[in-house]
Structure formats: structure tokens, C-alpha cells
Amino acid sequence: IFINYFIYLFIMDLKNSLQIYELASEVIDKCRSKKLKISVAESCTGGLISSIITSIPGSSDIFECGFITYSNDSKRKFLNVSQNTLNLYGAVSEEVVIEMINGLKYNTKSEILLAISGIAGPGGGSKEKPEGLVWISYVFKNNNIKTGKHKFGPIGRELVREKSSIVSLKYLLSML
């Protein structure tokens, strides 16, 4: 049973890795052709999205910066997320990822912005905010900020991070 489980995890990880690489390459190509820059603010992914993008040759043409704001203090300090918003809604909320985007707008000159916060697990969740809950916000230039709520469930820390990264890259592509 354990061997089958590890084979399954290996295949899923390989499948996700290939999809992630393809999506990131497409994001880079489209941004390069339109001369657009990307900046991201990450919490639950811990810099994975930034790492994925910058692992592709040529990413320096399109990637301005990434903020890893894992703690509430760093969200406040670097992205101007208000303490009141954190107290009222918690770090894993639509309101917080929108404020993270606004912090990116203030701190960068990028045309494409993405922010993410979630509960990768194991543990750390609640009935209202279970393990695997992820909020993502994204915006192109000065358009309206869009958000997405995803419930991946308790699938394991790495899979939550990978699936969140895949969804995030798809959101970036949807703007291009």
C-alpha cells in the first residue's frame, strides 16, 4: 500500500511539475511579447510562484519582484495590510489578498499583480477556514481586482502549494 501511495505521489508531482513549467513558460512568453512586468505577493506558497517563474530562462525580462509575506507582521510592514483587516477577517481572506494587491500596486511598477494567502496544512485550519483553503487576487494594470477562493482540502502541504501555483499561473495567463 505504501509503495503504491509513493508511486502515486511521484507521478502526481511529475505531472504538476510539467504543467507548472509549461504554464510559467507561456506566461513569460506572453509578457515578453507585450513588454509587461509581473510582481507577486505570496504567503502560503512561500515564494514557490516566484521561484517557478524565475526558474525559466528569460524570466528577468518580465519578473520585477516577489514579496514573501508569510507572517501578519510582514503583510503589514511590506504590503500595508491593515491590522484591522487582519483582525476582522484573518490572514486567509479575500479582504487580505486584495490589500496585498494594493500593497503591490504601491510598491512596484508592474502591470500584472498577483497575491495569495492560504492554509497549506497539515493543521492550522478551522471549521470556517479548513486546511487547503486558498485565496488568490490578481489584477492587470488598473483594472478591477479579481479574486478566487479555492478549497483544495487536506491533500498535503506540497500539493496545496503546487495546485495553488498552477491556479495562480492560470490566472496570470487569463489576463494576458
Side-chain angles (χ1 to χ4, degrees):
I1 294 173
F2 288 116
I3 293 172
N4 288 341
Y5 178 71
F6 286 114
I7 291 171
Y8 168 78
L9 287 179
F10 174 77
I11 291 169
M12 288 308 297
D13 191 48
L14 183 60
K15 180 182 171 193
N16 287 342
S17 295
L18 291 172
Q19 184 178 17
I20 287 169
Y21 185 85
E22 289 170 359
L23 290 168
S25 294
E26 193 174 346
V27 166
I28 290 168
D29 290 344
K30 288 189 176 197
C31 284
R32 185 182 295 122
S33 71
K34 297 177 182 188
K35 297 184 182 347
L36 299 172
K37 295 280 188 181
I38 294 175
S39 289
V40 299
E42 300 181 64
S43 186
C44 64
T45 48
L48 183 59
I49 297 165
S50 299
S51 178
I52 290 164
I53 292 170
T54 59
S55 71
I56 310 274
S59 59
S60 58
D61 293 341
I62 63 99
F63 191 78
E64 183 180 348
C65 66
F67 290 83
I68 303 171
T69 55
Y70 208 71
S71 70
N72 287 350
D73 285 341
S74 65
K75 286 175 182 66
R76 284 194 321 270
K77 182 177 180 180
F78 299 111
L79 297 173
N80 305 316
V81 173
S82 78
Q83 183 65 54
N84 188 49
T85 302
L86 288 163
N87 291 342
L88 284 173
Y89 304 103
V92 180
S93 65
E94 181 177 33
E95 293 79 7
V96 166
V97 293
I98 288 171
E99 286 194 19
M100 290 169 73
I101 284 284
N102 288 326
L104 283 173
K105 282 182 179 181
Y106 179 78
N107 287 301
T108 73
K109 292 182 176 17
S110 294
E111 296 88 1
I112 297 174
L113 307 169
L114 182 130
I116 185 167
S117 187
I119 302 166
S126 67
K127 186 176 181 180
E128 298 79 27
K129 294 184 180 184
E131 182 180 328
L133 174 66
V134 175
W135 276 98
I136 303 169
S137 63
Y138 55 105
V139 68
F140 179 74
K141 295 193 178 184
N142 290 320
N143 294 341
N144 292 328
I145 296 171
K146 296 179 182 177
T147 60
K149 178 180 182 180
H150 301 274
K151 296 179 182 179
F152 296 111
I155 59 174
R157 184 172 195 80
E158 287 310 308
L159 277 177
V160 169
R161 294 176 70 228
E162 286 176 15
K163 287 183 177 288
S164 297
S165 298
I166 289 168
V167 170
S168 295
L169 290 167
K170 287 180 178 180
Y171 282 151
L172 292 175
L173 282 173
S174 75
M175 291 185 287
L176 297 167

